[in-house]
Amino acid sequence: MGLSPREVFLRLVHGVADGNFDELPDLYGEATDVRHPMATPESEPLTSRRALREHFTVEPEVRESLPKRSVVDVVVHETADPEVIVAEFAYAFTLPDDSLAKVPCVFVMRVRDGRIIESRDYIDPIRTYTARGELDRLVASLRKGAS
């Protein structure tokens, strides 16, 4: 038997926070349905491990520039379906002035045989862009979408 849904979730979010992007696709099944309903700009569903590998590909120079973050405020809700969890948490970004910016998230995940096969990842886009120092990029994206 594989990892529990809670264990897979924790490996995922801590892997993201620690920048272990190369290891993350292995947490997913070959066929997946991963969506980011709040993504700005909108994103297409990720339907394979290969698509997730591309999603998690981060160039070394970009990795170096990413703000430090950690996972905080984790609450995992078990459901009547043993494959499904609802996880509330936040990424806490350390800003250049050493203050913290929290980005609240909710993931609804289906894990089968220790692999994520379905996920809805709700992540606050405004706080994410702000924490990364990329609010101008978000505004430009919104303007482009409005025209």
Side-chain angles (χ1 to χ4, degrees):
M1 183 169 170
L3 298 172
S4 72
R6 176 188 298 263
E7 291 167 324
V8 173
F9 161 75
L10 290 171
R11 284 193 183 187
L12 174 65
V13 295
H14 286 285
V16 169
D18 296 340
N20 297 329
F21 302 110
D22 297 336
E23 300 169 12
L24 299 178
D26 293 332
L27 296 173
Y28 293 84
E30 286 294 333
T32 63
D33 184 0
V34 178
R35 298 171 190 248
H36 299 90
M38 296 177 71
T40 304
E42 289 184 37
S43 64
E44 293 296 317
L46 301 166
T47 58
S48 68
R49 187 180 295 151
R50 181 177 176 206
L52 283 147
R53 194 167 309 286
E54 290 175 26
H55 173 74
F56 287 120
T57 297
V58 179
E59 299 300 322
E61 61 274 5
V62 174
R63 284 184 196 207
E64 296 297 320
S65 69
L66 291 174
K68 183 180 177 193
R69 62 182 144 176
S70 60
V71 178
V72 298
D73 304 333
V74 175
V75 178
V76 178
H77 304 276
E78 308 288 336
T79 70
D81 183 335
E83 293 183 340
V84 177
I85 61 167
V86 177
E88 302 174 73
F89 69 103
Y91 286 118
F93 287 80
T94 302
L95 302 178
D97 66 0
D98 287 331
S99 65
L100 289 180
K102 284 187 180 181
V103 176
C105 308
V106 174
F107 286 10
V108 181
M109 302 176 81
R110 177 176 300 278
V111 177
R112 184 173 294 144
D113 298 325
R115 304 261 192 237
I116 302 164
I117 60 167
E118 187 176 7
S119 189
R120 300 298 177 267
D121 303 351
Y122 299 90
I123 305 169
D124 183 322
I126 294 172
R127 290 186 191 178
T128 298
Y129 280 96
T130 301
R132 291 180 176 172
E134 299 176 342
L135 196 53
D136 290 342
R137 186 172 152 211
L138 172 62
V139 171
S141 170
L142 292 171
R143 284 191 176 131
K144 182 179 177 184
S147 52

Short mmCIF file of all heavy atoms in Angstrom, two decimals, residues 12 20-32 34 36 45-59 63 115:
data_model
loop_
_atom_site.label_atom_id
_atom_site.label_comp_id
_atom_site.label_asym_id
_atom_site.label_seq_id
_atom_site.Cartn_x
_atom_site.Cartn_y
_atom_site.Cartn_z
N LEU A 12 3.89 16.93 -0.93
CA LEU A 12 3.71 17.89 -2.02
C LEU A 12 3.98 19.32 -1.55
O LEU A 12 4.82 20.01 -2.11
CB LEU A 12 2.30 17.78 -2.61
CG LEU A 12 1.94 18.84 -3.65
CD1 LEU A 12 2.80 18.69 -4.90
CD2 LEU A 12 0.46 18.78 -3.99
N ASN A 20 11.92 21.53 -4.04
CA ASN A 20 12.28 20.21 -4.58
C ASN A 20 11.39 19.86 -5.77
O ASN A 20 10.75 18.81 -5.80
CB ASN A 20 12.17 19.14 -3.48
CG ASN A 20 13.12 19.39 -2.35
OD1 ASN A 20 14.21 19.93 -2.55
ND2 ASN A 20 12.72 19.03 -1.15
N PHE A 21 11.36 20.72 -6.76
CA PHE A 21 10.42 20.60 -7.86
C PHE A 21 10.62 19.34 -8.69
O PHE A 21 9.66 18.79 -9.24
CB PHE A 21 10.49 21.83 -8.76
CG PHE A 21 10.20 23.11 -8.02
CD1 PHE A 21 11.21 24.03 -7.79
CD2 PHE A 21 8.93 23.38 -7.55
CE1 PHE A 21 10.95 25.21 -7.10
CE2 PHE A 21 8.66 24.55 -6.85
CZ PHE A 21 9.68 25.47 -6.63
N ASP A 22 11.84 18.86 -8.80
CA ASP A 22 12.12 17.67 -9.61
C ASP A 22 11.46 16.41 -9.05
O ASP A 22 11.17 15.48 -9.80
CB ASP A 22 13.63 17.43 -9.73
CG ASP A 22 14.34 18.57 -10.44
OD1 ASP A 22 13.68 19.31 -11.21
OD2 ASP A 22 15.55 18.75 -10.22
N GLU A 23 11.22 16.37 -7.75
CA GLU A 23 10.63 15.20 -7.10
C GLU A 23 9.10 15.19 -7.14
O GLU A 23 8.48 14.15 -6.97
CB GLU A 23 11.09 15.13 -5.64
CG GLU A 23 12.60 15.04 -5.48
CD GLU A 23 13.05 15.24 -4.04
OE1 GLU A 23 12.19 15.23 -3.13
OE2 GLU A 23 14.26 15.42 -3.84
N LEU A 24 8.50 16.34 -7.36
CA LEU A 24 7.05 16.47 -7.21
C LEU A 24 6.23 15.68 -8.23
O LEU A 24 5.20 15.10 -7.85
CB LEU A 24 6.65 17.95 -7.23
CG LEU A 24 7.28 18.78 -6.10
CD1 LEU A 24 6.87 20.24 -6.24
CD2 LEU A 24 6.93 18.24 -4.74
N PRO A 25 6.62 15.60 -9.51
CA PRO A 25 5.78 14.84 -10.45
C PRO A 25 5.59 13.39 -10.05
O PRO A 25 4.55 12.79 -10.38
CB PRO A 25 6.55 14.95 -11.77
CG PRO A 25 7.31 16.21 -11.64
CD PRO A 25 7.71 16.28 -10.19
N ASP A 26 6.53 12.82 -9.33
CA ASP A 26 6.42 11.41 -8.92
C ASP A 26 5.31 11.19 -7.88
O ASP A 26 4.94 10.05 -7.61
CB ASP A 26 7.75 10.89 -8.38
CG ASP A 26 8.80 10.83 -9.48
OD1 ASP A 26 8.42 10.66 -10.66
OD2 ASP A 26 9.99 10.97 -9.17
N LEU A 27 4.78 12.27 -7.33
CA LEU A 27 3.66 12.14 -6.39
C LEU A 27 2.32 11.96 -7.11
O LEU A 27 1.31 11.67 -6.48
CB LEU A 27 3.58 13.38 -5.48
CG LEU A 27 4.77 13.60 -4.55
CD1 LEU A 27 4.64 14.95 -3.85
CD2 LEU A 27 4.87 12.47 -3.54
N TYR A 28 2.34 12.11 -8.43
CA TYR A 28 1.12 12.06 -9.23
C TYR A 28 1.03 10.77 -10.03
O TYR A 28 2.05 10.18 -10.39
CB TYR A 28 1.07 13.25 -10.19
CG TYR A 28 0.92 14.57 -9.49
CD1 TYR A 28 2.02 15.23 -8.98
CD2 TYR A 28 -0.33 15.14 -9.32
CE1 TYR A 28 1.88 16.45 -8.32
CE2 TYR A 28 -0.48 16.36 -8.66
CZ TYR A 28 0.63 17.01 -8.17
OH TYR A 28 0.48 18.20 -7.51
N GLY A 29 -0.20 10.37 -10.36
CA GLY A 29 -0.42 9.23 -11.23
C GLY A 29 -0.04 9.57 -12.67
O GLY A 29 0.15 10.74 -13.01
N GLU A 30 0.06 8.54 -13.50
CA GLU A 30 0.34 8.78 -14.93
C GLU A 30 -0.77 9.61 -15.56
O GLU A 30 -0.50 10.49 -16.37
CB GLU A 30 0.50 7.45 -15.67
CG GLU A 30 1.80 6.73 -15.39
CD GLU A 30 3.02 7.47 -15.90
OE1 GLU A 30 2.93 8.25 -16.88
OE2 GLU A 30 4.09 7.30 -15.29
N ALA A 31 -2.02 9.31 -15.24
CA ALA A 31 -3.17 10.09 -15.69
C ALA A 31 -3.69 10.88 -14.50
O ALA A 31 -3.87 10.34 -13.41
CB ALA A 31 -4.26 9.18 -16.23
N THR A 32 -3.90 12.18 -14.70
CA THR A 32 -4.32 13.05 -13.61
C THR A 32 -5.41 14.01 -14.09
O THR A 32 -5.65 14.14 -15.28
CB THR A 32 -3.14 13.91 -13.09
OG1 THR A 32 -2.69 14.77 -14.15
CG2 THR A 32 -2.01 13.06 -12.58
N VAL A 34 -5.64 17.69 -12.60
CA VAL A 34 -5.23 18.71 -11.64
C VAL A 34 -5.62 20.07 -12.20
O VAL A 34 -5.25 20.43 -13.32
CB VAL A 34 -3.71 18.65 -11.37
CG1 VAL A 34 -3.29 19.76 -10.41
CG2 VAL A 34 -3.32 17.28 -10.83
N HIS A 36 -6.35 24.39 -11.28
CA HIS A 36 -6.11 25.55 -10.44
C HIS A 36 -7.21 26.57 -10.74
O HIS A 36 -7.02 27.48 -11.55
CB HIS A 36 -4.72 26.14 -10.72
CG HIS A 36 -3.62 25.18 -10.43
ND1 HIS A 36 -3.12 24.30 -11.37
CD2 HIS A 36 -2.95 24.92 -9.28
CE1 HIS A 36 -2.16 23.57 -10.82
NE2 HIS A 36 -2.04 23.93 -9.55
N PRO A 45 -6.16 22.38 -17.42
CA PRO A 45 -5.98 21.23 -16.52
C PRO A 45 -4.69 20.48 -16.86
O PRO A 45 -4.28 20.42 -18.03
CB PRO A 45 -7.20 20.36 -16.81
CG PRO A 45 -8.21 21.28 -17.41
CD PRO A 45 -7.43 22.32 -18.16
N LEU A 46 -4.07 19.93 -15.85
CA LEU A 46 -2.87 19.12 -16.02
C LEU A 46 -3.33 17.67 -15.97
O LEU A 46 -3.81 17.21 -14.93
CB LEU A 46 -1.86 19.44 -14.91
CG LEU A 46 -1.43 20.91 -14.88
CD1 LEU A 46 -0.72 21.24 -13.58
CD2 LEU A 46 -0.58 21.25 -16.06
N THR A 47 -3.22 16.96 -17.08
CA THR A 47 -3.87 15.66 -17.20
C THR A 47 -2.89 14.49 -17.27
O THR A 47 -3.31 13.36 -17.56
CB THR A 47 -4.78 15.64 -18.44
OG1 THR A 47 -3.99 15.94 -19.60
CG2 THR A 47 -5.91 16.64 -18.29
N SER A 48 -1.62 14.73 -16.99
CA SER A 48 -0.65 13.64 -17.01
C SER A 48 0.54 14.00 -16.14
O SER A 48 0.78 15.18 -15.84
CB SER A 48 -0.17 13.36 -18.44
OG SER A 48 0.61 14.46 -18.91
N ARG A 49 1.28 12.97 -15.75
CA ARG A 49 2.51 13.21 -15.00
C ARG A 49 3.48 14.04 -15.84
O ARG A 49 4.19 14.89 -15.32
CB ARG A 49 3.14 11.89 -14.57
CG ARG A 49 4.34 12.10 -13.63
CD ARG A 49 4.98 10.81 -13.20
NE ARG A 49 4.06 10.03 -12.40
CZ ARG A 49 4.08 8.71 -12.34
NH1 ARG A 49 4.98 8.01 -13.02
NH2 ARG A 49 3.23 8.05 -11.58
N ARG A 50 3.49 13.79 -17.14
CA ARG A 50 4.37 14.56 -18.03
C ARG A 50 4.01 16.05 -17.98
O ARG A 50 4.89 16.90 -17.91
CB ARG A 50 4.23 14.03 -19.45
CG ARG A 50 5.10 14.74 -20.44
CD ARG A 50 4.99 14.11 -21.82
NE ARG A 50 5.75 14.89 -22.77
CZ ARG A 50 5.49 14.93 -24.03
NH1 ARG A 50 4.51 14.23 -24.53
NH2 ARG A 50 6.22 15.67 -24.83
N ALA A 51 2.72 16.37 -18.03
CA ALA A 51 2.29 17.78 -17.94
C ALA A 51 2.70 18.38 -16.60
O ALA A 51 3.10 19.55 -16.53
CB ALA A 51 0.78 17.88 -18.14
N LEU A 52 2.63 17.59 -15.55
CA LEU A 52 3.03 18.07 -14.23
C LEU A 52 4.54 18.27 -14.16
O LEU A 52 5.02 19.21 -13.53
CB LEU A 52 2.54 17.14 -13.13
CG LEU A 52 1.05 17.35 -12.88
CD1 LEU A 52 0.36 16.10 -12.48
CD2 LEU A 52 0.86 18.46 -11.87
N ARG A 53 5.30 17.43 -14.84
CA ARG A 53 6.75 17.61 -14.89
C ARG A 53 7.07 18.97 -15.53
O ARG A 53 7.90 19.71 -15.05
CB ARG A 53 7.40 16.45 -15.64
CG ARG A 53 8.90 16.40 -15.46
CD ARG A 53 9.52 15.09 -15.93
NE ARG A 53 8.92 13.86 -15.43
CZ ARG A 53 9.04 13.38 -14.18
NH1 ARG A 53 9.75 14.04 -13.29
NH2 ARG A 53 8.46 12.25 -13.84
N GLU A 54 6.37 19.29 -16.62
CA GLU A 54 6.56 20.59 -17.26
C GLU A 54 6.13 21.72 -16.33
O GLU A 54 6.80 22.75 -16.24
CB GLU A 54 5.77 20.65 -18.57
CG GLU A 54 6.32 19.75 -19.66
CD GLU A 54 5.44 19.74 -20.91
OE1 GLU A 54 4.71 20.73 -21.15
OE2 GLU A 54 5.49 18.74 -21.64
N HIS A 55 5.00 21.54 -15.65
CA HIS A 55 4.48 22.55 -14.72
C HIS A 55 5.50 22.86 -13.61
O HIS A 55 5.66 24.01 -13.21
CB HIS A 55 3.17 22.04 -14.12
CG HIS A 55 2.60 22.87 -13.03
ND1 HIS A 55 1.99 24.08 -13.26
CD2 HIS A 55 2.56 22.67 -11.69
CE1 HIS A 55 1.58 24.59 -12.11
NE2 HIS A 55 1.91 23.75 -11.14
N PHE A 56 6.17 21.82 -13.13
CA PHE A 56 7.12 21.99 -12.02
C PHE A 56 8.54 22.27 -12.48
O PHE A 56 9.44 22.38 -11.65
CB PHE A 56 7.11 20.75 -11.11
CG PHE A 56 5.89 20.63 -10.25
CD1 PHE A 56 5.07 19.52 -10.34
CD2 PHE A 56 5.57 21.62 -9.33
CE1 PHE A 56 3.94 19.39 -9.53
CE2 PHE A 56 4.44 21.52 -8.52
CZ PHE A 56 3.63 20.40 -8.63
N THR A 57 8.76 22.40 -13.80
CA THR A 57 10.10 22.71 -14.28
C THR A 57 10.41 24.18 -14.00
O THR A 57 9.69 25.07 -14.47
CB THR A 57 10.24 22.41 -15.79
OG1 THR A 57 10.04 21.01 -15.98
CG2 THR A 57 11.60 22.81 -16.30
N VAL A 58 11.44 24.40 -13.23
CA VAL A 58 11.86 25.75 -12.87
C VAL A 58 13.35 25.86 -13.18
O VAL A 58 14.15 25.07 -12.67
CB VAL A 58 11.59 26.04 -11.37
CG1 VAL A 58 12.05 27.44 -11.01
CG2 VAL A 58 10.12 25.85 -11.04
N GLU A 59 13.69 26.81 -14.02
CA GLU A 59 15.09 27.01 -14.40
C GLU A 59 15.92 27.37 -13.16
O GLU A 59 15.42 28.05 -12.26
CB GLU A 59 15.20 28.11 -15.45
CG GLU A 59 14.46 27.80 -16.74
CD GLU A 59 14.97 26.54 -17.43
OE1 GLU A 59 16.20 26.31 -17.42
OE2 GLU A 59 14.13 25.80 -17.97
N ARG A 63 14.92 29.50 -9.80
CA ARG A 63 14.88 28.89 -8.46
C ARG A 63 15.61 29.76 -7.45
O ARG A 63 15.16 29.93 -6.32
CB ARG A 63 15.52 27.50 -8.47
CG ARG A 63 14.67 26.44 -9.07
CD ARG A 63 15.33 25.10 -8.95
NE ARG A 63 14.68 24.16 -9.85
CZ ARG A 63 14.62 22.88 -9.66
NH1 ARG A 63 15.20 22.33 -8.63
NH2 ARG A 63 13.99 22.10 -10.51
N ARG A 115 -0.69 7.93 -5.02
CA ARG A 115 -0.45 8.92 -6.07
C ARG A 115 -1.67 9.82 -6.22
O ARG A 115 -2.82 9.36 -6.17
CB ARG A 115 -0.20 8.23 -7.42
CG ARG A 115 0.93 7.25 -7.41
CD ARG A 115 2.18 7.87 -7.97
NE ARG A 115 3.17 6.82 -8.20
CZ ARG A 115 4.37 6.84 -7.67
NH1 ARG A 115 4.73 7.82 -6.90
NH2 ARG A 115 5.22 5.87 -7.93
#
